[in-house]
């Protein structure tokens, strides 16, 4: 089973960059997309939500069950536009952690894909010193992500790849992609009970439909 996550930064823009043809060439079984920037009357969308109207109206959480495995696509809030949205981000972080804990009581095998909008460690960002006070790399956010792993999740990429400069987002500005100056803020987290079945986890920097790169994991469910 191959599962991908991809923040498209606008699905209509991605389609104009031949995203649909790219999808047809892949062999993903599931693809989780975020930041579609489209309304239901512009595209066929399904929103399962998380039971919180403040977040559901922003279309942040979708879940699909495949047998005993639950796959989530989550678009975590960004706090880059100011203190108000940063406060919303902290509320969301607290809520989603409790939400996933509740889900785990009934659904033991979870895969949480998405744009978390947090770079976890210094090796996950090209300029950790210069960005120490930037939303997405604040100590409070990074501490939350550490706490998230401690609840029983594994960072699938880091299970295989401990190297720096593994980025999933690069600005469109200043030739950042060509210079590999970016942040790793997109993750596929899996519960520890799936680790034995995890065969690979990679970032796909060659995909050029967004300022994000897709990430893919492969599970052996045979």
């Amino acid at each position: 089973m191959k599962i991908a996550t991809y923040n498209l930064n606008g699905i209509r823009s991605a389609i104009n960059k031949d995203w649909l043809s790219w999808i047809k060439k892949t062999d993903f079984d599931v693809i989780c997309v975020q930041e579609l920037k489209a309304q239901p009357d512009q595209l066929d969308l399904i929103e399962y939500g998380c039971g919180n109207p403040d977040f559901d109206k922003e279309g942040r959480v979708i879940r699909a069950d495949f047998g005993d495995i639950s796959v989530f696509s989550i678009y975590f809030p960004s706090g880059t536009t100011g203190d108000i949205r940063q406060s919303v981000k902290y509320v969301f972080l607290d809520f989603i952690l409790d939400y996933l804990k509740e889900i785990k009581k009934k659904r033991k095998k979870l895969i949480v894909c998405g744009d978390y909008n947090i770079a976890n460690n210094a090796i996950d960002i090209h300029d950790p010193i210069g960005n120490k006070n930037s939303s997405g790399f604040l100590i409070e956010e990074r501490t939350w992500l550490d706490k998230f792993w401690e609840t029983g999740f594994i960072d699938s990429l880091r299970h295989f790849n401990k190297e720096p400069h593994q980025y999933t987002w690069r600005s469109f500005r200043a030739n950042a992609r060509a210079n590999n100056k970016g942040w790793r803020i997109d993750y596929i987290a899996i519960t520890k009970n799936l680790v034995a079945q995890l065969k690979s986890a990679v970032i796909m920097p060659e995909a050029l439909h967004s300022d994000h790169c897709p990430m893919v994991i492969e599970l052996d469910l045979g």
Side-chain angles (χ1 to χ4, degrees):
M1 186 178 191
K2 287 188 176 180
I3 301 172
T5 188
Y6 201 172
N7 180 317
L8 295 177
N9 192 14
I11 191 169
R12 289 167 292 170
S13 173
I15 289 171
N16 288 335
K17 297 174 182 176
D18 214 24
W19 179 65
L20 293 179
S21 295
W22 178 81
I23 285 292
K24 291 177 181 178
K25 296 175 184 176
T26 68
D27 58 350
F28 306 142
D29 297 294
V30 180
I31 180 165
C32 301
V33 293
Q34 304 88 36
E35 203 171 359
L36 276 65
K37 297 183 178 179
Q39 298 300 317
D41 61 341
Q42 295 170 314
L43 293 166
D44 293 327
L45 301 176
I46 299 173
E47 297 182 8
Y48 291 95
C50 57
N52 185 313
D54 290 334
F55 302 131
D56 286 347
K57 69 183 179 183
E58 297 180 339
R60 294 196 174 274
V61 180
I62 294 176
R63 166 188 157 196
D65 295 339
F66 303 90
D68 61 349
I69 295 176
S70 294
V71 180
F72 294 82
S73 177
I74 303 180
Y75 179 37
F76 287 60
S78 170
T80 57
T81 56
D83 292 342
I84 293 177
R85 290 305 297 176
Q86 187 66 37
S87 295
V88 169
K89 185 175 185 177
Y90 287 138
V91 171
F92 181 86
L93 293 178
D94 289 339
F95 171 82
I96 205 68
L97 187 62
D98 290 340
Y99 170 75
L100 291 171
K101 285 179 179 178
E102 284 300 310
I103 295 292
K104 275 208 301 180
K105 292 178 180 178
K106 296 180 179 179
R107 304 287 302 179
K108 303 298 184 183
K109 297 179 179 180
L110 307 186
I111 300 174
V112 183
C113 306
D115 176 0
Y116 288 41
N117 265 312
I118 303 171
N120 201 172
N121 298 302
I123 64 169
D124 297 314
I125 185 171
H126 76 277
D127 183 9
I129 296 176
N131 285 291
K132 65 179 182 179
N133 294 319
S134 298
S135 177
F137 197 58
L138 299 174
I139 188 63
E140 295 87 354
E141 298 167 318
R142 297 164 61 200
T143 298
W144 178 89
L145 197 47
D146 288 337
K147 183 168 63 174
F148 172 72
W149 304 130
E150 291 170 0
T151 64
F153 287 95
I154 295 294
D155 181 346
S156 61
L157 181 76
R158 291 305 183 201
H159 182 69
F160 296 103
N161 189 331
K162 311 295 185 184
E163 297 300 315
H165 312 303
Q166 308 297 311
Y167 305 133
T168 63
W169 176 83
R170 299 168 185 82
S171 172
F172 282 132
R173 299 187 295 270
N175 213 23
R177 185 183 283 262
N179 294 321
N180 198 27
K181 292 184 177 180
W183 300 43
R184 187 173 75 97
I185 56 177
D186 302 86
Y187 300 82
I188 299 180
I190 67 171
T191 45
K192 290 182 178 179
N193 51 17
L194 287 170
V195 171
Q197 295 166 289
L198 183 64
K199 299 305 177 185
S200 65
V202 296
I203 295 169
M204 302 179 68
E206 69 278 8
L208 303 174
H209 314 98
S210 170
D211 51 355
H212 290 252
C213 298
M215 181 187 165
V216 185
I217 65 167
E218 183 172 5
L219 295 166
D220 183 358
L221 301 181

